[in-house]
Amino acid sequence: MSAEQQNNEEVTIDLRRLFILIKKHFISILIWMIGLGLIAYGVSEYVLVPKYTASTQLLVNRKSADVNQAYANQQADVNAVTTYKDIITSRVILKGASKYLANPVTVVRKATPAKKAVYRTDDDGTRVLVKKAVKAKPAVIKRDGKSYSVSASELSSAVSVTTTTSSQVFSLSATAETPEKAQAIANAVAKEFKKQIPSIMDVNNVTIVAEASKGTKSYPKVKMITAVGVLAGLVVSLLIIIIKDLSDTSVRDDSFMEKELGLINLGEVSSIKMPKDWTFTAASAEKHRSLGTRRRV
């Protein structure tokens, strides 16, 4: 027998032995898989702190009546998306967004200071009202939602930007502990970016296409973690069974004794069960020979 044939035979024998072990310990393997799967599910569902992600979309677009100029502007806007990706996560934008999140209000109408009436005196001495007095009016503000204390550095790790090749639209995503907070962060950063980009780039070509809705759960992925737990149960149970089988030094057959232990089989001795009142005679020896079990020596 060649060495290659011998190796193939050993592999076949090992695979057969593995199949026998799996069949023999199928119930314990199943218990390990179900057990670790349930543990993984419980940890991912009830122990790990969930994270939620909300996304908003922004469009970079400059309008132009000239067709040729419009095409040139479109190409310039596509190229600018990469730059905007870096700007939107810069400290100046995130710092402004942090302030807005701490006090999320929008000015609907600015405050109007009080103004005195203006009169004109004619040649005959008559005073004529030129402009009426204006009473002071406070600013009208609208509260946009709940306040959140989030620093600029925290926003930097919570915000990410996704761009698509040759597209003027890019997505801004925010991750937080609650769906509402993720939504607030995404919208705050987008609004602050749209507000400051004209002064930063000297262009006003950013539009918020879709504001972020409430965040959806993005971590942990319960199904994936549970599947990993089930797979880990399978691997662990197989390892335990294989190691236990390899450490078993009991002789299973003649080939194991000769090939693995290097011993020579000299013969087999029968083990005979003797009754208590047994006395050795030729007849009794023949009678009880069939009751014995064979032992290797």
Side-chain angles (χ1 to χ4, degrees), residues 126-161:
T126 304
R127 295 184 66 194
V128 180
L129 179 65
V130 177
K131 188 181 293 186
K132 293 182 179 180
V134 177
K135 293 182 179 180
K137 294 181 179 180
V140 178
I141 61 175
K142 179 183 71 174
R143 189 167 187 85
D144 295 331
K146 182 181 176 181
S147 299
Y148 294 99
S149 178
V150 188
S151 65
S153 59
E154 290 173 335
L155 286 177
S156 179
S157 59
V159 172
S160 62
V161 180

Side-chain angles (χ1 to χ4, degrees), residues 12 31 45 62 67 72 82 100 102 140 152 161 185 192 204 206-207 211 269:
T12 303
I31 292 174
E45 185 69 25
R62 279 176 285 189
V67 177
T82 304
Y100 175 80
V140 178
V161 180
I185 291 175
E192 188 66 22
N204 189 13
V206 175
T207 303
E211 290 191 352
V269 177

Side-chain angles (χ1 to χ4, degrees), residues 93-289:
I93 301 297
L94 298 182
K95 191 174 181 180
S98 177
K99 290 182 179 180
Y100 175 80
L101 286 169
N103 185 29
V105 295
T106 301
V107 179
V108 178
R109 187 179 65 197
K110 294 182 179 181
T112 304
K115 294 183 180 180
K116 295 182 179 180
V118 177
Y119 293 91
R120 182 186 74 243
T121 303
D122 293 340
D123 295 337
D124 59 357
T126 304
R127 295 184 66 194
V128 180
L129 179 65
V130 177
K131 188 181 293 186
K132 293 182 179 180
V134 177
K135 293 182 179 180
K137 294 181 179 180
V140 178
I141 61 175
K142 179 183 71 174
R143 189 167 187 85
D144 295 331
K146 182 181 176 181
S147 299
Y148 294 99
S149 178
V150 188
S151 65
S153 59
E154 290 173 335
L155 286 177
S156 179
S157 59
V159 172
S160 62
V161 180
T162 304
T163 59
T164 305
T165 306
S166 302
S167 176
Q168 294 172 256
V169 177
F170 62 96
S171 299
L172 169 69
S173 300
T175 303
E177 299 82 16
T178 63
E180 295 78 11
K181 187 175 181 179
Q183 178 188 18
I185 291 175
N187 287 330
V189 175
K191 288 179 181 178
E192 188 66 22
F193 174 71
K194 184 178 184 299
K195 175 184 173 183
Q196 294 199 35
I197 198 63
S199 59
I200 295 174
M201 297 288 291
D202 197 23
V203 289
N204 189 13
N205 61 344
V206 175
T207 303
I208 298 177
V209 178
E211 290 191 352
S213 57
K214 283 187 178 181
T216 56
K217 191 174 182 179
S218 57
Y219 175 84
K221 298 184 183 298
V222 178
K223 291 183 179 179
M224 185 185 71
I225 294 177
T226 303
V228 171
V230 172
L231 182 60
L234 174 62
V235 173
V236 170
S237 60
L238 287 178
L239 285 175
I240 293 174
I241 291 171
I242 292 172
I243 292 173
K244 186 177 179 180
D245 182 71
L246 292 176
S247 60
D248 185 6
T249 58
S250 60
V251 178
R252 303 187 187 97
D253 50 34
D254 295 341
S255 61
F256 176 83
M257 180 178 64
E258 294 173 357
K259 293 180 180 180
E260 301 296 333
L261 303 180
L263 302 177
I264 299 175
N265 185 11
L266 300 178
E268 296 179 353
V269 177
S270 298
S271 176
I272 304 172
K273 296 181 180 178
M274 300 297 184
K276 294 181 179 179
D277 57 347
W278 177 83
T279 57
F280 180 78
T281 63
S284 62
E286 182 65 27
K287 178 181 178 181
H288 294 287
R289 183 176 297 172

